[in-house]
Amino acid sequence: MEISYKRTHKESYMIISTEEYVSDYEEQMLKENEIRSLLSFYTMEMNGRIQFWYDISGKQSLKDYLQQKEVTYESMEEVFLYLAMAYEEIHKYLLHEDKVYLCPETVYVARQGQFRVFLCYCPFENFDENPFAALMEYVLTIVDHGTDDLMRTCYEMYDMTLQDGTTLYDLLHYLQEQMEGMRYIEEKSTIAYEESEIPSYNEDVPPMVEEKERMVPEESVYYESSYEKILQTIRAKGQHIKELILSWFAQNREVHGGKKDVLIEPEPIPVERTVLLHEKAASCQGQLLYQGNGGEEDFFIREKTFRIGTDASGNEAQLHSSAVSHQHARIIRQEREFYIEDLNSTNGTFVNGVMLAYTQKKKLEPMDRVTFADVEYLFV
C-alpha cells in the first residue's frame, strides 16, 4: 500500500494505491452514501494498480493541526471526542473499525468553521486491532515535556494502547478522569489560598532579620555596600574609574583611621557594539521580499520552521490576502538550506509558477519566485 498526493487548481487528493482488490458492497455503499465523518473518494485503475483518490480539499491532516496547536488536556479531549463521534457514525452504517486507516497523516480535520474529524476508510485493507498506538506515539513527540501531569497522562494512555482490548472510549474516559482530577486540585488550591489568613504586623515586635545578615559583621557590610555603590556609580554616570577609587579610599581612611591601600580590579564596563542595519540583514540566512503593491511586508527567516498564513497567532509571517489560507505553507530550514511545503491550502503554493502538491517539499534557491495564492515573494 502506497500513499501519494495530487493537486489540481482547486482540489487536493490523498491517493492510496493497492495491487489486489475486488470491489464489493462496501465500496458501492460508501460511494452512494455521503457519510459525514469519512473522506469521500473515487477509484481508478492505473498501471495494473487500483488507486483510491480521497478528497482532502479544504482540510488539513491531524499531524499538521497538532503541530500548529499547543497540546493541552482540552485540545486532546477535543480530538478524542470527535474521533469517538466519527466512530459512532461508522457503527450506524455497519462498517468495520479495523478498516479505518488511523494515523496522524490520514486523519483530517476541517480547516475552517466548526472542528470536525474525517477518517480514511479503506475497504480493501484490514489494519491492526488497536490502531491508537500510532496516534499516541505522535502525541508524545510533540507534547511539552515540561508539563509533568500532561506528559504522564500521555505516557499512561500510550501504555493503554499496547494492551489488548483497549478501545477509543477507554482512552477518552481515562483522559476525562485525569482532567477532572486536575480541576479538583486547582479548585482546592484556590479555596485554600483564599481562606488563608494574612499574618498581622505587630509594631512592638521588630521585624525578623535574615540569619545570614545577622552573622555578617557591620564593618564588612559597610565595605561591601560601599564598593557596590561605586560600581553602580561607574555604570550609571560613566565617571573616571581612577578618580572614584581614590575618592573611595580617602573617605574610608577618614572614617576608619586609615588602612593599607589595596589594589581593586574594577569590573569591566560592558560596551554595546553598534550593529548596522545591513549587518543585521546579512546575518539572516533567508529572506522573502514582497513583489506586489498590496501592502504586505518583507520577512527574515530566522526560525527552523517558518509558517505563513493569515492567522496571526499561528504563523511567523502573517499575510492579509483573502485568498491565502489561515495556515497556508511553511518553510523548513535545515542547516543552510531551505525547503518549502504547502499545508493543503485552498489556493495553493507555487514556486516559479509550479504548484506544489500537499506534503511535497521543494528546495528553495536564491531568486526563486514563491507565490502564496495571489501574494508573490522573491526568495533571497
Side-chain angles (χ1 to χ4, degrees), residues 89-341:
E89 193 169 10
I90 287 177
H91 296 157
K92 291 179 182 178
Y93 286 88
L94 303 179
L95 299 175
H96 301 286
E97 286 190 17
D98 58 357
K99 292 189 176 183
V100 174
Y101 195 175
L102 190 68
C103 70
E105 294 85 0
T106 56
V107 176
Y108 282 79
V109 301
R111 182 181 293 280
Q112 298 181 8
Q114 183 182 2
F115 184 85
R116 286 177 56 191
V117 168
F118 300 88
L119 301 178
C120 176
Y121 192 85
C122 300
F124 54 87
E125 186 72 38
N126 289 324
F127 298 96
D128 295 335
E129 294 183 359
N130 193 345
F132 307 107
L135 181 59
M136 289 309 305
E137 281 180 4
Y138 178 70
V139 171
L140 287 174
T141 63
I142 60 175
V143 67
D144 184 3
H145 287 234
T147 55
D148 295 336
D149 294 322
L150 180 58
M151 193 69 190
R152 184 176 62 253
T153 298
C154 292
Y155 270 112
E156 290 172 351
M157 291 176 67
Y158 174 68
D159 288 338
M160 290 175 62
T161 64
L162 301 180
Q163 301 173 14
D164 294 336
T166 300
T167 66
L168 174 61
Y169 306 100
D170 295 330
L171 296 172
L172 177 59
H173 180 68
Y174 177 79
L175 175 63
Q176 292 177 332
E177 278 187 340
Q178 300 305 306
M179 293 178 66
E180 287 297 326
M182 292 299 299
R183 291 192 189 104
Y184 174 76
I185 293 174
E186 291 175 359
E187 291 174 0
K188 190 174 181 180
S189 301
T190 303
I191 294 173
Y193 175 78
E194 292 175 350
E195 293 180 350
S196 61
E197 294 183 2
I198 300 176
S200 59
Y201 174 71
N202 188 348
E203 294 183 356
D204 297 332
V205 181
M208 295 296 292
V209 181
E210 294 283 345
E211 186 69 21
K212 181 178 179 180
E213 186 178 349
R214 285 188 282 132
M215 294 177 63
V216 177
E218 184 180 354
E219 189 178 48
S220 300
V221 175
Y222 175 81
Y223 285 123
E224 182 179 358
S225 61
S226 300
Y227 183 63
E228 289 296 323
K229 185 176 180 180
I230 290 175
L231 293 179
Q232 292 176 10
T233 305
I234 293 172
R235 298 188 185 100
K237 298 183 179 181
Q239 298 180 14
H240 195 275
I241 297 175
K242 182 176 180 181
E243 294 178 358
L244 286 174
I245 294 177
L246 292 176
S247 174
W248 181 78
F249 279 122
Q251 292 176 8
N252 280 278
R253 288 192 187 97
E254 293 175 5
V255 175
H256 300 286
K259 293 184 180 294
K260 294 182 178 180
D261 291 343
V262 179
L263 180 62
I264 300 177
E265 287 288 338
E267 292 186 1
I269 302 174
V271 178
E272 194 170 321
R273 186 176 70 88
T274 301
V275 179
L276 300 178
L277 290 178
H278 71 273
E279 286 183 336
K280 187 174 182 180
S283 65
C284 302
Q285 296 183 3
Q287 298 180 47
L288 289 174
L289 302 181
Y290 181 53
Q291 299 299 293
N293 54 6
E296 303 290 357
E297 57 181 308
D298 300 338
F299 297 102
F300 294 135
I301 305 173
R302 298 185 178 91
E303 296 81 359
K304 288 186 177 180
T305 300
F306 187 85
R307 295 162 293 188
I308 303 100
T310 58
D311 188 358
S313 61
N315 298 289
E316 284 69 37
Q318 182 187 11
L319 304 184
H320 303 88
S321 170
S322 58
V324 176
S325 299
H326 290 292
Q327 289 84 32
H328 196 99
R330 65 179 165 221
I331 297 176
I332 301 172
R333 176 168 58 86
Q334 297 178 355
E335 296 182 353
R336 299 189 66 85
E337 294 182 342
F338 295 83
Y339 296 85
I340 190 169
E341 180 180 2

Side-chain angles (χ1 to χ4, degrees), residues 327-365:
Q327 289 84 32
H328 196 99
R330 65 179 165 221
I331 297 176
I332 301 172
R333 176 168 58 86
Q334 297 178 355
E335 296 182 353
R336 299 189 66 85
E337 294 182 342
F338 295 83
Y339 296 85
I340 190 169
E341 180 180 2
D342 182 71
L343 295 177
N344 202 28
S345 61
T346 301
N347 294 304
T349 301
F350 303 79
V351 177
N352 297 324
V354 179
M355 179 183 285
L356 300 180
Y358 181 44
T359 74
Q360 176 189 356
K361 291 183 179 179
K362 171 70 174 176
K363 182 180 177 182
L364 290 175
E365 303 290 349

